[in-house]
Amino acid sequence: MNRRLGGLHLAWNVLALALAVFVYFYGLDSQHIPKNGDEYPYEHITRLTAASGHLLPLQSELDGMRNTKPPLLFWQGIASTHWGQDWDLWHLRYPSVIYTLLTAMLVFLLAGRLSRQMETGFVAALTYLTFFSTYRYGRPFLVNPPEVFWFFLPFFTLLYWRPFSFESRLFVPLLLGLEIGIGLLYKSFALLAPIGLVLVWWYLHQCRYQWREFIVKEAYKPVLAGIVALSLFALWFAFDPDPQSVWREFVVGENAGKFEAHGAGYWAQLLWGGSSVWALLLGYPMNAGLLAFPVAALFLVAYRQRRQLGDVEKMLWVWMFVLFIVFAVPSQRSARYLLEAMPGVAVLCALNWQRIPRWVFVVTLVAADAVLVLLAFLARNLQNEAAGMYGWGYWLLLGVTLALAIFASFSPRSTRSVANVVVLLVFLSLAAFLRPFDGALGRYNEVAQRYVQSKDVWVPCNFRAHDEGDRFMLPGARVHGYDESWNLKPADLAARYRLFALQLPLNAEPCAGCQVIGQRLEIRGRQNADELRAMFKGDVFQYLFVKELLVESAVVDSNISNTNKEGCR
């Protein structure tokens, strides 16, 4: 009987992991996946660098944003798109998913090794993949998937091969330096500060805080790892034809600039607002998304069990603590800066999965139900605007996920094992909800695409290089951006631009003197405070869903059009 139950648990976990892999690849080419706006400038730099035919120097038309990150991410994009020959979102993004799945594999191996139970490894991997931060930042063309992998790998190396890894005099420190150095070439040399501090702390912990023994026998190991890592990072300066620009734009602008206070001043920002230390304190639960409640409970469980914590658990908590403290110092604070510790959070969750109260998982399931109801509400209203937008498969997916969540809420034996699967199905439901926006309704037809080829087209933008996204929808066109903050009315746009796109409410009419070339349905992002308040009051559709028209103006004023400038640069 026990063998049969064990086989069923193994089959369930394998199927759940297969579901996770499918969810992470599904809709990967979508314009509307959860992501961060940094993907646009990264696409821009990659496209122009590939077009230059050289790996260095990096190329950009964005003001002061050529060396915004080290080159490895852009080289990754150049390689995956075959020097821009396969320029689409799928080819840009699939390496990110591979990195994310590799990180999940490390989490699986480490949790399984520490607990000596394969099921705990499955729980850890699934938990990591059901963190919303993993889903949001682990799929787009961003620096986060590779940086999380390469910065978790050194800690995995030390913990998985304990005690040999700590006893190694040369091989492991050199290996750690290589792993960290590759991560620095993706992200920044600044990450050596928290990683180096944690390595020192871990080696000191291994010496049972005997400072003399640490200084004599162990201190050189993290120092050696740091020297190797910085040497690898310094190769960027050695091979870049313009190292002065790298220093000015990356070291001074991108890194030192994060310590500059803006607006109310450093101390006011530290203690108040969305970039305060208190907001960062909630970073770990917020990164977990629907699993915020189990992660918050994990902190309480760990505090109550603090005297019984094993060495490895203490080390993982040290990593989380140090990362928080280090990123609380700059004036720019974000839960995104804590992503490197989320694999460790997943391992800790799995090791304490049975200690977290069942009712906490029920809260997660209820929150998942609320998201499903919201998706159903939005889909039904969109269905009224465009009949047939969502087929029976979508509604079946919502129904099965809702039924599974309700079942797990009332079945004590199933709650913990089903919670992660329900969250994955919520991700899949979200992706299925967004999918029509990348189909015929969300794209310009072939006639419109052919019409604008080799022509200048102006599109709305609200983030730097946002127009990069429109290049995928208007291949062959010379796409330019006009900033939404300019508040240009349709008549103003018609006077400025011959060909342009504008976003209007679903029932609005196009501008006078304009010929509609194409039309598509769009989800509008980055609403201002007034629009968000209106949405919370129930006016969702006016500010969230819009129609975007591609039009040609017959009333262009040549005196104005000759002075056009690029927006979002």
Side-chain angles (χ1 to χ4, degrees), residues 440-441 443-445 516-521 547-550:
L441 290 173
R443 291 185 176 273
Y444 295 118
N445 59 34
V516 176
I517 307 299
Q519 176 176 325
R520 69 186 189 91
L521 191 63
K547 65 179 179 182
E548 184 173 282
L549 302 180
L550 181 63

Side-chain angles (χ1 to χ4, degrees), residues 477-512:
R478 295 191 295 269
V479 179
H480 313 275
Y482 66 85
D483 202 319
E484 291 181 3
S485 65
W486 296 345
N487 295 319
L488 297 175
K489 299 186 181 304
D492 300 324
L493 294 170
R496 283 173 175 259
Y497 311 121
R498 176 72 62 187
L499 284 167
F500 63 94
L502 76 161
Q503 294 180 351
L504 298 170
L506 296 177
N507 56 357
E509 295 296 326
C511 51

Side-chain angles (χ1 to χ4, degrees), residues 91 168 242 313 516 530 540 561:
H91 282 87
S168 173
D242 189 8
E313 289 183 89
V516 176
D530 293 336
V540 175
S561 63

Side-chain angles (χ1 to χ4, degrees), residues 91-148:
H91 282 87
L92 282 168
R93 290 171 174 170
Y94 80 79
S96 296
V97 176
I98 292 175
Y99 265 122
T100 298
L101 295 178
L102 287 174
T103 304
M105 182 186 71
L106 297 181
V107 170
F108 168 82
L109 292 173
L110 182 58
R113 179 70 171 266
L114 297 178
S115 65
R116 298 181 180 179
Q117 293 182 353
M118 185 182 296
E119 185 169 355
T120 304
F122 278 113
V123 171
L126 289 170
T127 300
Y128 176 68
L129 293 173
T130 49
F131 288 156
F132 185 69
S133 62
T134 308
Y135 186 68
R136 179 184 179 186
Y137 298 110
R139 301 171 73 223
F141 180 59
L142 295 172
V143 73
N144 304 111
E147 73 164 303
V148 170

Side-chain angles (χ1 to χ4, degrees), residues 536-548:
F536 280 120
K537 292 178 181 178
D539 200 0
V540 175
F541 284 83
Q542 180 177 351
Y543 297 105
L544 184 58
F545 303 108
V546 296
K547 65 179 179 182
E548 184 173 282

Side-chain angles (χ1 to χ4, degrees), residues 269-286 324 333-335 338:
Q269 288 185 343
L270 177 70
L271 299 174
W272 189 256
S275 189
S276 68
V277 69
W278 314 116
L280 186 66
L281 190 62
L282 297 175
Y284 288 118
M286 295 304 293
F324 170 81
R333 303 172 192 89
S334 168
L338 305 178

Side-chain angles (χ1 to χ4, degrees), residues 256-270 330-333:
K258 286 183 168 58
F259 290 88
E260 295 179 1
H262 303 280
Y266 178 84
W267 292 105
Q269 288 185 343
L270 177 70
S331 57
Q332 297 180 27
R333 303 172 192 89

